[in-house]
Structures are given as C-alpha cells and as structure tokens.
C-alpha cells in the first residue's frame, strides 16, 4: 500500500518557469510533510517542510501548499533554474511516532 | 565536519555472498535509518534504530540485518537471502528520538551491484 502518491514522475520546465509537483496521502494521522531534494550520486537533503496548521509555507523560490481536506500537498518552484534540476521527494510522518514515508520521486529538468 | 559517512561508495558482489555496508555519524543523533532507492521506487525503509541496542524492521526488511552496538554506527548486512539486492542504499540519522519530525540527514549512499 503506497501511503504517499507523488506526481508527475518526471517534469521538464523552461528556465524561469514554475515547477509544480504534487503529492497525496491516505493516512489522516500524518502531520508532518517535508520535501527532499536529491542531486545525482548524492543523498537527499531537506528542502522545506510544513505542518497541517498552516496552508502554505514559503522559503525563497520554494513554496509548499497544503490542502488538509483533500489530503494533498504540493511543491512550487518559482523562477526555476537549471541548478534546480534534481529529483524531489515528498514525505509524510506522524509526529513522534513513525519514520518518514516517501513518495516515489519526481525527476525535474530545467532547460534553458 | 559533522555528517554521515557511508562506505564503500561502490560495491560489487557475487550471488550468494553476504555484504556489509558501513554507516557512521558524528552528529550525536539518537536515530539512524537505512533506506533502499531503486529507479522509480522512491526511498523504502529497510531498518531503523531509535536507540543503541534496539532496532525495528521497516517495510522491506527481508534479506537484511542490522546492528546498533554504538550510537554512531549502524551497519547494514545484505544477506544472500535478499532476492534482488542491486540498489542504491542510503543511511540517515536524525536528532529526534522517534525520528518522525526531525530533519533526516543522509549520507552519500552506497551502490551495490550483484554480478
């Protein structure tokens, strides 16, 4: 059973455009939703995270939008740059209870 | 520098052989994790440990074993019972004892290829 469904599997965006990656979860007990960024040959690194008490969190060009009723959250990358080309993973967990459950990842390519 | 060190970075193994992947952290984190990454499959949890001398199975523990004798070390053994061991293995740690809300710090991974 896949607890966090991520889409699309791959994404190509023009430089300066907006990249949008979506995730949906099933377990309503989840209350922590991070996004990780992974460059080829490297381990993932935390990019941004949100808890369900807010509907949006912004850090620089990266924004998480959260819809609790729809059990969905998304990552928006504004003004996408070639350096943003990486694989992005959404994840979810129950605070203080379980390890992170990851989505299958989205491979983003930003082309000039 | 503080961080997580995984070794070896690349490893080749013949079928039927056990192999042990090393993971060491100097972040003084309580919790440590092993994930397996396959193309298009995301990160799947193999084992995790929240405290020394204790560990729990993740979603795909069959064919793997771990130990946690020291806080800074969490080696993973891929046994001959693992049917499809070729993969990229990632070790991580977190400061939060349950590991559910704290940031996960990942190593750079070990790529295992079974010949």
């Amino acid at each position: 059973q896949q607890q966090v469904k991520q889409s699309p599997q791959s994404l190509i965006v023009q430089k300066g455009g907006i990249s949008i990656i979506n995730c949906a979860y099933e377990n309503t007990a989840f209350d922590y939703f991070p996004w990780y960024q992974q460059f080829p040959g490297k381990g993932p690194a935390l990019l941004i995270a949100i808890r369900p008490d807010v509907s949006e969190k912004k850090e620089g060009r990266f924004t998480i939008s959260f819809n609790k009723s729809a059990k969905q959250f998304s990552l928006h990358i504004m003004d996408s740059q070639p350096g943003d080309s990486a694989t992005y993973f959404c994840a979810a967990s129950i605070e203080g209870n379980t390890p992170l459950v990851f989505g299958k990842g989205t491979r983003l390519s930003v082309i000039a | 520098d503080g961080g997580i060190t995984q070794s070896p970075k690349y490893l080749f193994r013949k079928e039927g052989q056990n192999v042990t992947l090393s993971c060491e952290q100097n972040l003084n984190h309580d919790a440590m994790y092993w994930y397996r990454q396959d193309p298009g499959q995301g990160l799947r949890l193999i084992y995790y440990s929240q405290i020394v001398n204790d560990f729990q199975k993740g979603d795909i523990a069959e064919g793997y074993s771990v130990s946690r004798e020291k806080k800074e070390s969490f080696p993973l053994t891929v046994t001959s019972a693992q049917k499809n061991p070729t993969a990229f293995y990632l070790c991580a740690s977190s400061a939060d004892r349950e590991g559910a809300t704290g940031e996960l710090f990942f190593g750079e991974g070990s790529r295992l290829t079974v010949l």
Side-chain angles (χ1 to χ4, degrees), chain A residues 3 9 31-32 36 38 41-46 51 87 89 93-105, chain B residues 9 33 35 37 40-43 45 48 50 59 88 90 96 98-109 111:
Chain A
Q3 297 192 60
Q9 187 172 358
D31 57 4
Y32 174 65
Y36 281 77
Q38 183 184 30
K42 302 294 184 182
L46 179 66
R51 287 183 168 80
T87 299
F89 294 97
S93 69
I94 303 170
E95 184 172 357
N97 191 356
T98 60
L100 284 172
V101 176
F102 286 86
K104 292 191 174 183
Chain B
K9 192 171 180 66
Y33 310 79
Y35 285 90
Q37 184 174 12
Q41 294 297 315
L43 305 176
L45 183 65
Y48 65 103
Q50 297 171 331
D59 299 319
F88 189 52
L90 287 160
D96 185 309
E98 282 72 31
T101 58
E103 177 179 354
L104 283 186
F105 292 82
F106 284 87
E108 295 207 335
R111 186 167 297 280

Side-chain angles (χ1 to χ4, degrees), chain B residues 36 100 107 110 113:
Chain B
R36 169 178 170 146
S110 293
T113 302

Side-chain angles (χ1 to χ4, degrees), chain A residues 30-60:
Chain A
F30 284 150
D31 57 4
Y32 174 65
F33 304 91
W35 285 88
Y36 281 77
Q37 180 189 55
Q38 183 184 30
F39 293 105
K42 302 294 184 182
L46 179 66
L47 184 63
I48 188 172
I50 196 169
R51 287 183 168 80
D53 52 342
V54 296
S55 60
E56 185 175 282
K57 182 174 181 179
K58 184 177 181 179
E59 291 185 1

Side-chain angles (χ1 to χ4, degrees), chain A residues 21-32:
Chain A
I21 304 171
N22 300 299
C23 281
Y25 61 96
E26 299 165 0
N27 189 343
T28 55
F30 284 150
D31 57 4
Y32 174 65

Side-chain angles (χ1 to χ4, degrees), chain B residues 22-41:
Chain B
S22 171
C23 178
E24 303 278 333
Q25 56 101 354
N26 60 4
L27 300 169
N28 199 32
H29 285 170
D30 288 314
M32 297 187 73
Y33 310 79
W34 276 104
Y35 285 90
R36 169 178 170 146
Q37 184 174 12
D38 297 283
Q41 294 297 315

